Amino acid sequence: MTHRVRIGLLGCGTVGADFAGLLVERRAAVESVTGLSLELVRIAVRDPLKPRPPALAAELFTGDAHDVVKADDVDLVVELIGGTSAAAELVMAALDAGKPVVTANKELIASAGPDLFAAADRAGVDLFFEAAAVAAVPILRPLRESLQAEDVTRVVGIVNGTTNYMLTRMTADGLDFDEALAQAQRLGYAEPDATADVEGADAASKIAILASLAFNRSVVADDVSREGIAGLDREDFELADRFGFDIKLLAVAERFPGGGAVGAQVFPALIGREHPLASVRDSFNAVFLTTSAAGELMFYGHGAGPRPSASAILGDVAGAAEQLVRGTHRRVPVGPPAVVRPTRDLVHSYYVRADVDEAPGVLSEVTGVFARHGVSIRTVDQHGSESRARIVFITFPAPEHALHAALDELRGLGQVRRVGRVLRIHK
């Protein structure tokens, strides 16, 4: 028996158009597997008269998104307009009307998720958002279902395809930041305004979503400290290579024993080449989980591009439609707000680069500063001219507040010309 499920789409930009096209393309195949006839009946856009793909009939389009949400002939809503305010209002209205919602809106889920999860549960319908985390990489459903009884203690991910592509080209081809960004924009991996990517905001939203599901505690984007990739230069990549590291933009969330506090950060890091994430290149993404019983798990795939996102959205639509036909739903397993450990108390090893005067006793004085603040040095590499030296330190693990106190003192020393980029180390 075939069950018809009528879909209202909010937004038909790059991702929305790819989703609509994929739905048309895969509709018969989905029906043969699931017994569901997924029919796109309404599409809300800013300009209904704009030319659209020929596979989408002109009568589907409207300029009123609220009409789509409220329409009696819409059973399920797909939100792809982006942003937070208008999207939150529309998604909440759909849920309150008893309609399942599928969204790819990471900013929305990472900011208003707890309220929307509660509304979906009250209405007894699904809220699915697989494409909001790592595009086509299926990580959220395993966290919601397969790993629900697991004790996940750490989530580490390369979750932004734009920056991973840029860092790959900076590593492999010696491009500088601006050259790598321009290449990513030409290939369509980066938007004309790539600020959210290169400054880490996009990754912060994604790790907030992943941490919320992994730890059963609500983590929002504002709980995540972030540092982007601007300012990395060729010498950072050369030195990383010398020490056996690659540079990746990592999103890291950890649940600590005892009170269950959570730490969440996004930062460029040196990562040992033996780590599985070091091999994730170009626009690919991966998420690495540490669990108590299953051990270490990694999920890998395309993290950028409209087609991978459309695939995840269609998968969610099929899942939500199936639940709707059965009259069931699966709650989002996110508990109360997390206790967030301050960034200053989080512990890492560090790479520190400093330019100093080449003179007797300078190295001893500099290492003494680290020692006074409880930061132990693992490795020192020094090279330079007769008057000036560049010193690279790799430290043992230390709290961030200790490292920053040492750096503040270093910057005040007369023999220290400059303290360069500081990178955390992940092994």
Side-chain angles (χ1 to χ4, degrees):
M1 179 180 178
T2 298
H3 296 276
R4 182 183 181 217
V5 177
R6 299 162 298 180
I7 298 164
L9 174 61
L10 309 180
C12 196
T14 304
V15 175
D18 265 53
F19 162 71
L22 189 61
L23 174 59
V24 172
E25 175 187 326
R26 297 290 300 163
R27 182 180 175 187
V30 171
E31 183 173 344
S32 69
V33 172
T34 65
L36 300 170
S37 175
L38 304 178
E39 182 179 346
L40 190 57
V41 295
R42 292 176 184 257
I43 305 174
V45 292
R46 187 177 288 110
D47 180 6
L49 300 180
K50 180 180 175 180
R52 303 290 174 179
L56 302 177
E59 58 267 22
L60 295 177
F61 291 90
T62 175
D64 192 333
H66 287 277
D67 265 2
V68 173
V69 169
K70 294 183 294 185
D72 291 336
D73 63 350
V74 168
D75 304 310
L76 183 154
V77 173
V78 178
E79 183 277 308
L80 300 177
I81 62 173
T84 54
S85 298
E89 181 182 346
L90 290 165
V91 170
M92 188 67 78
L95 295 172
D96 287 343
K99 299 178 181 183
V101 173
V102 172
T103 180
N105 192 333
K106 54 188 157 296
E107 294 87 359
L108 176 65
I109 299 300
S111 59
D115 291 338
L116 298 176
F117 302 157
D121 204 36
R122 284 195 305 270
V125 296
D126 283 305
L127 173 60
F128 285 171
F129 44 95
E130 187 71 65
V134 204
V137 181
I139 176 66
L140 297 190
R141 193 163 295 184
L143 284 172
R144 290 177 67 159
E145 300 176 16
S146 306
L147 299 173
Q148 194 170 2
E150 256 292 357
D151 181 23
V152 181
T153 57
R154 199 173 205 202
V155 182
V156 182
I158 295 171
V159 297
N160 182 272
T162 299
T163 52
N164 201 48
Y165 177 83
M166 291 174 61
L167 293 173
T168 300
R169 300 278 64 82
M170 293 168 80
T171 298
D173 303 333
L175 302 186
D176 64 25
F177 176 87
D178 290 335
E179 291 170 332
L181 176 58
Q183 191 172 109
Q185 288 169 327
R186 282 196 301 272
L187 293 172
Y189 295 137
E191 298 289 340
D193 180 1
T195 303
D197 295 317
V198 300
E199 292 187 355
D202 175 87
S205 293
K206 292 173 179 177
I207 194 63
I209 294 169
L210 291 166
S212 295
L213 291 171
F215 305 143
N216 189 29
R217 290 291 184 272
S218 175
V219 179
V220 298
D222 286 345
D223 294 330
V224 183
S225 69
R226 61 179 183 263
E227 180 183 332
I229 66 171
L232 292 170
D233 61 31
R234 289 179 181 173
E235 188 162 8
D236 289 318
F237 290 88
E238 291 167 1
L239 290 168
D241 182 65
R242 183 190 305 178
F243 287 106
F245 294 106
D246 284 336
I247 299 178
K248 299 290 187 183
L249 184 69
L250 297 184
V252 180
E254 187 170 1
R255 185 174 56 77
F256 299 98
V262 170
Q265 296 178 280
V266 171
F267 49 77
L270 299 181
I271 185 166
R273 293 204 179 110
E274 71 282 359
H275 195 288
L277 289 176
S279 64
V280 180
R281 297 168 59 83
D282 295 315
S283 64
F284 282 84
N285 283 183
V287 178
F288 194 84
L289 303 180
T290 303
T291 74
S292 60
E296 295 176 333
L297 305 169
M298 191 168 91
F299 299 78
Y300 169 85
H302 282 286
R307 186 75 169 181
S309 296
S311 172
I313 294 162
L314 182 56
D316 272 354
V317 167
E322 189 171 23
Q323 295 275 80
L324 179 66
V325 168
R326 291 179 175 176
T328 63
H329 81 290
R330 182 176 289 275
R331 62 179 295 273
V332 182
V334 173
V339 175
V340 179
R341 181 166 292 187
T343 302
R344 67 186 306 275
D345 293 335
L346 300 178
V347 174
H348 301 278
S349 296
Y350 306 91
Y351 152 102
V352 181
R353 196 177 80 189
D355 295 334
V356 303
D357 293 333
E358 180 60 88
V362 172
L363 179 58
S364 175
E365 187 169 358
V366 170
T367 55
V369 169
F370 284 106
R372 280 195 294 278
H373 293 280
V375 181
S376 298
I377 303 300
R378 181 192 298 270
T379 304
V380 178
D381 180 84
Q382 181 175 348
H383 60 283
S385 63
E386 291 184 0
S387 62
R388 188 170 182 174
R390 173 154 290 170
I391 307 175
V392 175
F393 300 95
I394 292 180
T395 78
F396 284 98
E400 294 212 6
H401 66 79
L403 186 278
H404 288 293
L407 296 180
D408 287 343
E409 185 175 342
L410 278 182
R411 293 185 181 102
L413 293 181
Q415 300 93 331
V416 176
R417 305 279 189 90
R418 175 176 173 265
V419 176
R421 189 63 184 257
V422 176
L423 295 173
R424 298 165 185 86
I425 298 173
H426 182 83
K427 291 186 176 181

